[in-house]
Amino acid sequence: MDEERALHIVRAGEAGAIERVLRDYSDKHRATFKFETTDEDKRKKLCEGIFKVLVKDVPTTCQVSCLEVLRILSRDKKILVPVTTKENMQILLRLAKLNESDDSLEKVSEFPVIVESLKCLCNIVFNSQMAQQLSLELNLAAKLCNLLRKCKDRKFINDIKCFDLRLLFLLSLLHTDIRSQLRYELQGLPLLTQILESAFSIKWTDEYESAIDHNGPPLSPQETDCAIEALKALFNVTVDSWKVHKESDSHQFRVMAAVLRHCLLIVGPTEDKTEELHSNAVNLLSNVPVSCLDVLICPLTHEETAQEATTLDDLPGDQTAEKETVLKNNTMVYNGMNMEAIHVLLNFMEKRIDKGSSYREGLTPVLSLLTECSRAHRNIRKFLKDQVLPPLRDVTNRPEVGSTVRNKLVRLMTHVDLGVKQIAAEFLFVLCKERVDSLLKYTGYGNAAGLLAARGLLAGGRGDNWYSEDEDTDTEEYKNAKPNINLITGHLEEPMPNPIDEMTEEQKEYEAMKLVNMLDKLSREELLKPMGLKPDGTITPLEEALNQYSVIEETSSDTD
C-alpha cells in the first residue's frame, strides 16, 4: 500500500508532494531489510519512477528524499535487476560528484545529496552483479580516488570520505583486478595512507615517527569510521604485497607502518570502536613486509634516555630482569627502545584470548603478526619473551593452569582448531629462539608434542631459523626444582611410589607379558599402530623406522 501511494505521487510529478510522500516512506521503512514478495513489482516501478525524478531539476531536499528511499529499496536484490542500467548508474555518479574532474566541493548544501548517492551506490554495487560489471566499465575506482583527493584534507566532509572509502573497499573486495589498478595505476597506497594521516591528525617528529599525545581527546565517531573504512580498503590494496615487494616500495610501506603504529596508540570514542580500529590495523600490519615492521619500535630521545637511566637507578639492585622493562609516563621502554605499540598488540592479543570465541578470525592475525615480528626483529622478540615468558620461579602448577599470558597461550597449544593451536605453539617456539629444550621448559612435552611432531623435532634440537646466542638465565628457584620437574606435564610433582617395587620377579614378568599381549592385539586389530622416530626426527611406523636405522648402521659399518 505504501509503495502504491508513493508511486502514484512520484508519477504525478510535483516536487513538494514527492518530497513529502517519500520522506514519510523513508521514516516508516528506515529499519526495513526484508520485503514482502507480493509488492516486488511495485517496488521496481517505484525505483524506476525515482530515477526519472532525479534527472529533473528538482530541489536538493527532494533529491535527498528520493535517494533515501532508493537506498532502502536497494537492500532488496530482486528489484535491482531491471533498474541497474548504465544510464541509472551514471545518474548516481553525477549526483555523487564522481563525474566532474575539476569540480571542487564548495557547495555545502550539496553534501547530503553526495552522501546519499554514495550510500545508494554501496548498496547497489554490493547486491547487483550487473552493477559490479558496470562499475568496471565506468571506471568507478578512478572516479572514487579523484573524489578522495578533493576532500582528503577537509575534515568537515567526513561522511563523504567515509562512504567513498566504503565503496572503494567493496569494489576491491568484489574485483581482484581493481586491487592492482588501485595499487599501481591510481597510487592508492599513498592516497589512502594520507587519508589515515588526516583522520589521525598526525604530526611527524621524524621520518617514521609521529607525536603521541596520551592526554589528548579520543577520535570522534566520524574520524574513527573514516579511518576504519580506509584501513579496510588498504588491506585489499596490499593483500598480496608480501609476494611482490620492490625496494622502491620500502619507504611507502614504512610510512604506512608508522601511521599504523600511531593508530595503535590512540583510542576511539568507545571501547568497542577502539577494538574495531585496532583490529583493522592488525589485519593491515599483517600485509606489511616484515622488514618494514621495525618502525613499530623507535629509539628513545636523549631526554627520554636520561629519564630511563634515572628510573633504572631507582630499582632495587636484585631486580635484574625487571630493569630491562620500565613503564614511565605511559611509555613502555625496553633496551632503550619505545615498545608502546608492541605492548598494545600484546594486550590486544590477550583480550582476544579472554573472549574465548572466534579464535581463527579474531586471534590468529595478531598472533601471526607477533610471531613474524619476533622472528625478524631481535628487540621485539626479547621484549615479548620478557612479557610472555619471564624467568620461571613457581613451577608447582602445570604450565596451562593459571591466568598469565603464558598460561593462556599454553592452553591454546591443545586447542581443537588446528590453525589456532599451530600459531600459538609457533609463537612460543619463536620466543624460545626455536630451541626445543627452552620450549619444553615453559610448556611441558605434552603440550608441545604436536608442534614438535610437525617440525620433526621430537628428538630435540632446534628450528631452521638463526637467532642470537644470548643464553637464558634460570632463577635459583627453578634450578632447585628442576630435578623433580615432570618433563611431560612441565611442573613440579611429589615423588610417586613405584608400583612394581613390591612385586616379585615372576609378577613383573607376568605383567610385562600381559602388556605385550594387549599391545599386540591392539596392533593386529589396527586400533593402535606402534610408531618410531626416523633419523630426521619425524614420526613413522615402527617397522619403517627400524629399517631406516638398520640401513644407516650398515652404511656406517661399510664405511669403516
Side-chain angles (χ1 to χ4, degrees), residues 297-350:
I297 60 177
C298 55
L300 301 180
T301 63
H302 293 300
E303 295 79 6
E304 289 174 329
T305 304
Q307 291 175 13
E308 182 194 16
T310 304
T311 310
L312 288 173
D313 291 339
D314 291 340
L315 288 175
D318 59 344
Q319 295 184 12
T320 306
E322 286 80 355
K323 282 190 176 186
E324 293 289 345
T325 306
V326 180
L327 181 64
K328 60 182 183 56
N329 299 331
N330 294 323
T331 301
M332 186 65 68
V333 175
Y334 180 86
N335 200 22
M337 305 293 287
N338 186 322
M339 293 287 179
E340 285 180 284
I342 304 301
H343 194 248
V344 170
L345 290 173
L346 187 61
N347 288 337
F348 179 84
M349 178 199 74
E350 187 172 8

Side-chain angles (χ1 to χ4, degrees), residues 199-261:
F200 299 146
S201 302
I202 290 181
K203 296 178 181 177
W204 296 104
T205 58
D206 204 346
E207 187 176 18
Y208 304 121
E209 189 174 349
S210 61
I212 304 292
D213 183 5
H214 292 288
N215 299 318
L219 288 178
S220 69
Q222 294 81 7
E223 290 169 337
T224 306
D225 289 340
C226 188
I228 289 171
E229 295 300 333
L231 290 169
K232 288 157 60 177
L234 265 171
F235 178 85
N236 288 344
V237 172
T238 60
V239 72
D240 294 324
S241 60
W242 61 274
K243 294 180 181 177
V244 281
H245 172 45
K246 300 177 183 176
E247 196 63 34
S248 57
D249 294 333
S250 180
H251 169 70
Q252 189 57 54
F253 277 114
R254 286 177 182 274
V255 171
M256 186 174 75
V259 172
L260 294 175
R261 177 183 182 275

Side-chain angles (χ1 to χ4, degrees), residues 63-312:
Q63 288 180 327
V64 171
S65 296
C66 288
L67 290 166
E68 285 178 347
V69 173
L70 186 60
R71 170 170 53 84
I72 292 170
L73 295 175
S74 62
R75 296 168 183 167
D76 184 3
K77 295 182 180 181
K78 296 178 181 178
I79 69 163
L80 291 177
V81 176
V83 297
T84 305
T85 63
K86 186 174 182 178
E87 293 73 22
N88 288 343
M89 288 285 285
Q90 287 176 325
I91 291 172
L92 292 175
L93 295 183
R94 176 179 57 81
L95 292 172
K97 298 295 181 184
L98 291 172
N99 275 344
E100 294 86 356
S101 56
D102 299 322
D103 188 42
S104 59
L105 302 174
E106 297 296 341
K107 296 181 180 179
V108 178
S109 60
E110 293 179 342
F111 290 175
V113 175
I114 298 174
V115 171
E116 285 299 327
S117 299
L118 289 170
K119 289 180 181 180
C120 289
L121 284 167
C122 286
N123 280 0
I124 293 171
V125 168
F126 181 71
N127 287 321
S128 169
Q129 289 187 349
M130 177 61 71
Q132 292 164 22
Q133 292 300 322
L134 286 171
S135 65
L136 292 175
E137 184 181 336
L138 295 169
N139 201 12
L140 182 53
K143 297 177 187 297
L144 290 169
C145 288
N146 186 51
L147 181 60
L148 277 178
R149 291 186 175 92
K150 296 178 190 176
C151 59
K152 66 181 179 182
D153 295 321
R154 302 175 63 177
K155 295 185 178 181
F156 57 89
I157 49 178
N158 273 325
D159 282 344
I160 295 178
K161 284 194 286 188
C162 184
F163 289 102
D164 185 306
L165 289 164
R166 183 171 297 177
L167 186 50
L168 204 57
F169 162 71
L170 287 173
L171 287 174
S172 57
L173 175 69
L174 298 167
H175 283 287
T176 55
D177 293 343
I178 289 181
R179 297 175 191 173
S180 179
Q181 182 191 13
L182 277 170
R183 174 77 183 276
Y184 300 107
E185 179 186 334
L186 301 176
Q187 294 297 301
L189 187 57
L191 173 62
L192 293 170
T193 303
Q194 288 169 9
I195 293 293
L196 282 176
E197 286 185 50
S198 176
F200 299 146
S201 302
I202 290 181
K203 296 178 181 177
W204 296 104
T205 58
D206 204 346
E207 187 176 18
Y208 304 121
E209 189 174 349
S210 61
I212 304 292
D213 183 5
H214 292 288
N215 299 318
L219 288 178
S220 69
Q222 294 81 7
E223 290 169 337
T224 306
D225 289 340
C226 188
I228 289 171
E229 295 300 333
L231 290 169
K232 288 157 60 177
L234 265 171
F235 178 85
N236 288 344
V237 172
T238 60
V239 72
D240 294 324
S241 60
W242 61 274
K243 294 180 181 177
V244 281
H245 172 45
K246 300 177 183 176
E247 196 63 34
S248 57
D249 294 333
S250 180
H251 169 70
Q252 189 57 54
F253 277 114
R254 286 177 182 274
V255 171
M256 186 174 75
V259 172
L260 294 175
R261 177 183 182 275
H262 187 101
C263 176
L264 292 171
L265 300 180
I266 57 178
V267 296
T270 64
E271 187 175 342
D272 288 344
K273 276 295 180 183
T274 300
E275 183 174 352
E276 185 181 359
L277 182 69
H278 289 176
S279 177
N280 282 283
V282 167
N283 292 340
L284 182 52
L285 279 168
S286 300
N287 289 349
V288 177
V290 69
S291 60
C292 299
L293 292 175
D294 56 342
V295 300
L296 291 177
I297 60 177
C298 55
L300 301 180
T301 63
H302 293 300
E303 295 79 6
E304 289 174 329
T305 304
Q307 291 175 13
E308 182 194 16
T310 304
T311 310
L312 288 173

